Amino acid sequence: MRFKLACIFFSLSLSVISQSKASLPFNNTPLSEAIVALEEAFNIKMSFGSGLLADQSITFTEREVTLEYALSIIERQTHIEFEKVTDRYYIIKRQIKLDLSQVQNLDEVLISEYLTSGISKKGDGSITLLPGTLGILPGLTEPDVLQSLQLLPGIQSPNETASGLYVRGGTPDQNLILWDGIKMYHSGHFFGMISSFNPYIINDVKLYTNGTRAKYGSRIASVIDITSSNEIPQNIKGGFGFNMTHGDIYVKAPIGKKVAFMVSARRSFNDVLESFTFKNLSERVFQNTKISNGGNVLGDNFSSTIDNLFYFSDVTLKAIAKPSPKDEIIFSNLITKNKLDYGFEFQEINDSTRDQLNIENKGSSILWNHDSGNAFSYSVQAYLSNFDLDYSGNDTYSDSYVSDVTRQNGVDDVGFLFNTNWNLSKTHSLGFGYQLSSQEIQYKLGFVDQFGEENPQTFVFEDRSGSNTHALYADYQYKKVKKLIFNAGLRANYISAFDKVFMEPRLSLQVWLSRKLKGKFSVEQLHQSVSQIVEFVDDDFGLENQTWVLADGEAVPVLESFQTTTGFNFNASGWTLDIDMYLKNIVGLSSLTRGFDNPNNFSFFAGKSKVFGLDVLIKKKMNNYRTWLSYSYLKNQFTFSEVNDGRPFPGNFDITNHLTWSHSYLWKNFNFSLGWNIRTGTPYTEATGVVIDNDGFLTINYSKTNGERLPDYHRLDFSSTYTFNLSKDQKRKAKLGLSLLNIYNNKSVLNRTYRAVPVFSNDEVTYELRTIDKVSLGMTPNVVFRVEF
């Protein structure tokens, strides 16, 4: 009887231990110290091998948490996992993670908190972002993946969009964006103002701007590798919320112990309710187009009927199966949509216009990871990506004029990947693999102009082409912790359209000069055969006029980039100093690409660019306060033999100086962040006048190509969040957030173009030059509310 009572009492006491709570204010605390604090706070014992906790730290400031919740947070921030033996005894083991983004065993973290919590810099030079643990950033109340990356040095968005990332002088189409291994050809909602990836289902994002692993190919600027959650939860998890532009929901549910599925959905609600935030974003997107001017073209004396439909959405569906401790099978699906249907009609004069735009990016992938447990692992993956853009515009004026414009662009990309990793010893590892990418791209551009009874003038440009790329690659790594990391890789790409092999050697070296100071160097050669061109510019609409095309070796050559990078990193006593200097040479540029605009001539020109850059990050952490300063210097010079008399000139997005100064502070359950952003204005070509020749043909004369610069750009952003529990067990939480973009409402000029406008006087028509400026987003508030369960 006494034995039974003792057992009952012991079980009850353990139950109390497991349900008790403690306050754990860990701020970049060494993991060994955190484990001791856990043992004391919850009266538990943990067993682990020597060295397992070395060189790891955690940040954890939530108050009154359970042991189970604390262990889960530690597992997410470190490379260990906890095995529960009894309610009081635990075994600490190293996590076994299969990571397709790297072919080497690169567990070492150089900086565990690069900007703020949730952003770390790995030993191979890549930067990893964890949206689930991401600290607050200026102007963001939600962890938008692409907007968060813009706070890093060397990454800019000259047009203020989330998806328009210019990395080290490269254009957005030169970034390889992967979602669960699927190549993405469209990464923005609302014409790029919001990224098309739901941050609440993303596990991590890896960014490479140099020293790219050999498994990555097909782009020359950067790699943004996004992996959604692969967790098999014990219970149903999920969340939902909304801000002033859209709402979302996601659910993760187990099916037994070895299978789970995840589903998420987001959609804008402006077609039901237009918020102040959405109106501001709309004014920024549609300015200087007929959508913004349509209702006022003819003044208030004419009545008009307006049809306006716009929305965006994305849906993901994922299944995860772990049939054995050595195997993992993942099936992922993603669908993103943007739809616009706008029209107005002036009935008195029978004048009407209509614009319809549909953009979809769909993708699926299946992945099998296998770890043999004998220092050898491999993965097999197949993917399908489909991009489709369909635009039609119609203008009718009485019975005298009809204009129709159509634009279609489609990409079908099917791929296969076999990747291996072999750890030869503690210091040597080898990886190799094979990739196949089969692409078919089609575009159709049509114009129809008809005046009165005359026969319509019709122009149609269309093409359909395909190519297969076979790639073999290998990576070797030598790693001696805190002393030396050496990576050497080689990738060979055979592109069927050219019947040619393109070699891509890659090398990176990191040397610890002392315990706190590290030197680094990398060199790499990259190629790109698929890119976007500006096929034509529709001055009235002017949105989504970039077209994906395959290189043909003539008007669109294969891009080739050769980049060298050197720098050093210092990290001690809460200070971080990271400096990179790089030199990049790119050949195969076309005058049709979105990074170049020559208003003097619409011919095909081939050229090159030379980019020199300096990226600097200085960060200081003091308890719950963090401040960091990010600075980039960029000199991007283009050279085209037929432009500017063959002399170099600044590229369209040559931003010489770019500085951001950010702050964040944590107080109890409140987070605050403030950031100031200032940069040099972008170059533009100044117009000097309008000329009409003897045949009545009108042209605009321009001065030196990109010889002038817009005024400097600057703005101040603020954000704040408050988190609170909705249940005593802390399994249901809520977050309320507020953000203010451009607090002092500065209107910076983002882009400047010119238009010849007719002036009627005494039955004569003359033309005057009009400057068309696109200005930045004004002061824009946003509110977010979320619930997690």
Side-chain angles (χ1 to χ4, degrees):
M1 182 66 178
R2 290 182 179 179
F3 177 73
K4 292 182 178 179
L5 289 174
C7 291
I8 293 173
F9 178 77
F10 183 67
S11 299
L12 289 174
S13 64
L14 292 180
S15 177
V16 170
I17 290 174
S18 64
Q19 295 177 12
S20 62
K21 299 179 181 179
S23 180
L24 303 170
F26 298 144
N27 288 289
N28 205 25
T29 303
L31 182 56
S32 57
E33 296 179 15
I35 294 299
V36 172
L38 279 175
E39 290 179 323
E40 293 177 353
F42 293 101
N43 191 24
I44 59 175
K45 295 293 183 182
M46 297 191 180
S47 175
F48 51 90
S50 61
L52 184 59
L53 309 184
D55 301 320
Q56 299 187 72
S57 61
I58 65 168
T59 298
F60 186 63
T61 56
E62 295 191 43
R63 300 178 182 274
E64 298 299 317
V65 299
T66 62
L67 173 61
E68 180 184 13
Y69 184 73
L71 297 182
S72 67
I73 293 296
I74 293 175
E75 287 181 338
R76 284 199 292 182
Q77 295 188 21
T78 64
H79 306 302
I80 66 170
E81 61 183 17
F82 299 91
E83 179 181 341
K84 184 177 180 180
V85 180
T86 69
D87 284 337
R88 191 178 180 189
Y89 292 96
Y90 290 79
I91 297 176
I92 301 178
K93 303 185 299 182
R94 182 177 297 276
Q95 289 183 9
I96 299 175
K97 290 186 176 180
L98 298 171
D99 190 351
L100 277 183
S101 66
Q102 304 180 32
V103 299
Q104 308 296 335
N105 185 17
L106 299 171
D107 290 335
E108 183 194 0
V109 177
L110 174 63
I111 304 175
S112 60
E113 190 180 290
Y114 191 57
L115 293 184
T116 184
S117 59
I119 301 180
S120 60
K121 191 162 189 178
K122 300 295 185 179
D124 66 339
S126 66
I127 294 175
T128 298
L129 185 149
L130 305 174
T133 59
L134 186 63
I136 192 169
L137 297 172
L140 299 180
T141 52
E142 297 187 280
D144 186 289
V145 172
L146 301 183
Q147 287 181 330
S148 298
L149 294 177
Q150 294 176 23
L151 291 174
L152 297 169
I155 301 180
Q156 300 159 336
S157 179
N159 51 12
E160 289 190 321
T161 62
S163 59
L165 299 183
Y166 289 74
V167 180
R168 293 190 169 185
T171 54
D173 62 310
Q174 294 171 5
N175 301 319
L176 174 63
I177 300 180
L178 301 172
W179 188 88
D180 279 357
I182 304 167
K183 288 184 184 178
M184 301 302 298
Y185 289 87
H186 193 266
S187 57
H189 285 318
F190 202 177
F191 302 100
M193 299 303 292
I194 300 167
S195 66
S196 56
F197 310 110
N198 188 338
Y200 298 104
I201 63 168
I202 293 175
N203 183 59
D204 62 56
V205 181
K206 290 182 175 61
L207 169 71
Y208 291 87
T209 59
N210 64 280
T212 313
R213 300 271 61 81
K215 71 162 287 185
Y216 296 109
S218 76
R219 299 291 188 274
I220 65 171
S222 74
V223 175
I224 302 173
D225 191 351
I226 304 171
T227 304
S228 62
S229 175
N230 293 334
E231 174 191 14
I232 296 183
Q234 294 182 350
N235 303 299
I236 295 177
K237 294 183 179 181
F240 61 88
F242 65 89
N243 57 29
M244 294 296 99
T245 59
H246 63 272
D248 81 282
I249 186 171
Y250 75 91
V251 175
K252 304 175 185 177
I255 305 176
K257 296 182 178 181
K258 297 183 178 181
V259 180
F261 74 89
M262 178 179 68
V263 61
S264 75
R266 290 194 303 171
R267 192 188 188 280
S268 62
F269 50 74
N270 60 286
D271 48 343
V272 178
L273 174 66
E274 275 202 4
S275 66
F276 180 80
T277 303
F278 193 89
K279 289 180 180 179
N280 272 25
L281 293 175
S282 296
E283 290 178 3
R284 157 66 183 82
V285 169
F286 296 119
Q287 62 180 297
N288 300 327
T289 69
K290 57 186 176 183
I291 290 180
S292 63
N293 301 324
N296 298 315
V297 169
L298 299 178
D300 297 330
N301 296 326
F302 295 89
S303 61
S304 62
T305 301
I306 298 177
D307 295 321
N308 191 355
L309 171 66
F310 172 75
Y311 73 87
F312 60 81
S313 65
D314 58 71
V315 177
T316 64
L317 178 63
K318 186 169 187 175
I320 308 106
K322 298 182 180 181
S324 73
K326 297 182 179 181
D327 295 284
E328 181 180 56
I329 301 172
I330 301 170
F331 183 49
S332 303
N333 299 273
L334 171 68
I335 301 175
T336 70
K337 291 184 179 182
N338 286 263
K339 183 178 179 64
L340 170 73
D341 188 350
Y342 175 84
F344 65 86
E345 179 180 9
F346 295 95
Q347 298 177 355
E348 286 83 351
I349 58 174
N350 193 25
D351 182 18
S352 66
T353 184
R354 192 171 194 89
D355 291 282
Q356 295 175 302
L357 176 66
N358 290 280
I359 304 174
E360 289 189 8
N361 201 157
K362 299 176 288 187
S364 298
S365 70
I366 184 167
L367 167 67
W368 173 33
N369 283 323
H370 177 78
D371 188 350
S372 66
N374 297 316
F376 181 78
S377 62
Y378 62 84
S379 61
V380 180
Q381 184 176 44
Y383 75 87
L384 169 65
S385 181
N386 171 261
F387 166 76
D388 185 65
L389 180 147
D390 190 355
Y391 166 75
S392 64
N394 174 270
D395 287 294
T396 302
Y397 181 73
S398 186
D399 296 325
S400 60
Y401 175 73
V402 176
S403 174
D404 284 301
V405 177
T406 60
R407 182 187 301 124
Q408 297 174 352
N409 188 205
V411 180
D412 288 313
D413 190 332
V414 180
F416 172 82
L417 167 68
F418 175 70
N419 184 70
T420 66
N421 182 39
W422 187 12
N423 295 321
L424 305 174
S425 66
K426 290 183 179 180
T427 55
H428 300 271
S429 58
L430 179 66
F432 56 91
Y434 164 76
Q435 263 186 331
L436 167 65
S437 179
S438 179
Q439 296 151 332
E440 183 174 294
I441 299 180
Q442 65 85 23
Y443 66 87
K444 181 178 181 180
L445 307 165
F447 308 83
V448 176
D449 286 311
Q450 183 172 9
F451 294 87
E453 300 296 330
E454 297 180 5
N455 293 326
Q457 293 182 334
T458 303
F459 306 92
V460 178
F461 305 91
E462 59 182 323
D463 182 60
R464 180 184 293 271
S465 57
S467 181
N468 297 324
T469 300
H470 301 268
L472 290 173
Y473 62 86
D475 255 321
Y476 165 76
Q477 181 191 80
Y478 174 83
K479 179 177 71 173
K480 197 164 186 179
V481 178
K482 295 297 182 181
K483 290 187 177 181
L484 174 68
I485 298 179
F486 172 77
N487 282 284
L490 180 64
R491 182 183 178 95
N493 303 291
Y494 170 76
I495 302 178
S496 64
F498 297 92
D499 192 22
K500 182 179 178 181
V501 176
F502 297 85
M503 304 299 293
E504 297 182 350
R506 308 174 187 191
L507 180 130
S508 65
L509 177 67
Q510 301 172 70
V511 180
W512 273 260
L513 306 175
S514 70
R515 189 172 61 89
K516 301 176 182 179
L517 183 64
K518 173 182 173 181
K520 48 188 176 177
F521 172 80
S522 71
V523 60
E524 60 186 351
Q525 187 162 349
L526 306 170
H527 296 86
Q528 179 171 335
S529 60
V530 177
S531 56
Q532 285 183 316
I533 64 171
V534 179
E535 195 64 55
F536 65 90
V537 176
D538 185 340
D539 288 334
D540 288 332
F541 191 59
L543 297 170
E544 300 294 348
N545 61 344
Q546 293 84 32
T547 301
W548 286 103
V549 296
L550 275 168
D552 58 11
E554 297 178 357
V556 185
V558 173
L559 291 169
E560 179 178 340
S561 170
F562 182 81
Q563 178 179 225
T564 58
T565 304
T566 186
F568 67 87
N569 172 268
F570 176 82
N571 190 31
S573 303
W575 283 97
T576 297
L577 174 62
D578 198 24
I579 296 179
D580 272 352
M581 293 178 290
Y582 59 90
L583 181 64
K584 183 188 297 187
N585 290 295
I586 301 175
V587 297
L589 292 180
S590 169
S591 57
L592 293 178
T593 59
R594 62 191 299 179
F596 174 75
D597 179 24
N598 175 30
N600 294 291
N601 200 312
F602 296 101
S603 301
F604 299 130
F605 297 145
K608 59 184 180 180
S609 73
K610 184 175 184 179
V611 183
F612 171 75
L614 171 68
D615 294 337
V616 180
L617 174 72
I618 304 173
K619 180 200 162 190
K620 174 62 176 174
K621 179 182 178 183
M622 297 174 289
N623 297 322
N624 292 336
Y625 170 71
R626 301 170 179 85
T627 181
W628 65 89
L629 187 146
S630 169
Y631 169 75
S632 293
Y633 171 83
L634 179 72
K635 186 176 182 181
N636 188 0
Q637 295 286 302
F638 283 179
T639 302
F640 286 77
S641 58
E642 295 90 350
V643 180
N644 200 38
D645 297 325
R647 298 189 301 270
F649 59 92
N652 272 24
F653 299 99
D654 173 51
I655 298 175
T656 308
N657 298 286
H658 186 198
L659 176 72
T660 61
W661 187 18
S662 305
H663 312 263
S664 69
Y665 180 69
L666 171 65
W667 178 69
K668 295 183 178 180
N669 292 339
F670 289 92
N671 273 284
F672 305 94
S673 186
L674 185 70
W676 189 53
N677 186 334
I678 182 171
R679 62 169 172 81
T680 307
T682 55
Y684 74 97
T685 304
E686 184 179 26
T688 57
V690 180
V691 176
I692 302 178
D693 61 19
N694 294 331
D695 297 326
F697 186 73
L698 182 148
T699 59
I700 299 176
N701 285 339
Y702 291 89
S703 61
K704 183 179 178 181
T705 303
N706 283 347
E708 302 294 332
R709 281 190 181 270
L710 299 173
D712 291 346
Y713 170 97
H714 56 92
R715 81 181 198 192
L716 182 68
D717 300 331
F718 169 80
S719 57
S720 177
T721 61
Y722 172 70
T723 58
F724 53 96
N725 293 316
L726 297 177
S727 62
K728 294 182 179 180
D729 59 4
Q730 300 188 18
K731 291 184 178 180
R732 292 188 294 276
K733 294 187 174 185
K735 180 177 76 171
L736 184 63
L738 168 69
S739 68
L740 288 172
L741 295 175
N742 196 4
I743 293 176
Y744 51 81
N745 199 35
N746 177 60
K747 296 295 183 72
S748 299
V749 180
L750 302 177
N751 177 263
R752 176 167 292 170
T753 56
Y754 297 90
R755 183 178 299 175
V757 179
V759 177
F760 300 91
S761 177
N762 299 324
D763 296 330
E764 293 185 0
V765 180
T766 58
Y767 290 86
E768 67 177 22
L769 195 63
R770 180 171 298 177
T771 302
I772 309 297
D773 284 343
K774 178 173 286 188
V775 298
S776 62
L777 184 69
M779 196 273 285
T780 303
N782 201 352
V783 176
V784 62
F785 177 75
R786 292 203 60 79
V787 173
E788 305 288 335
F789 59 87

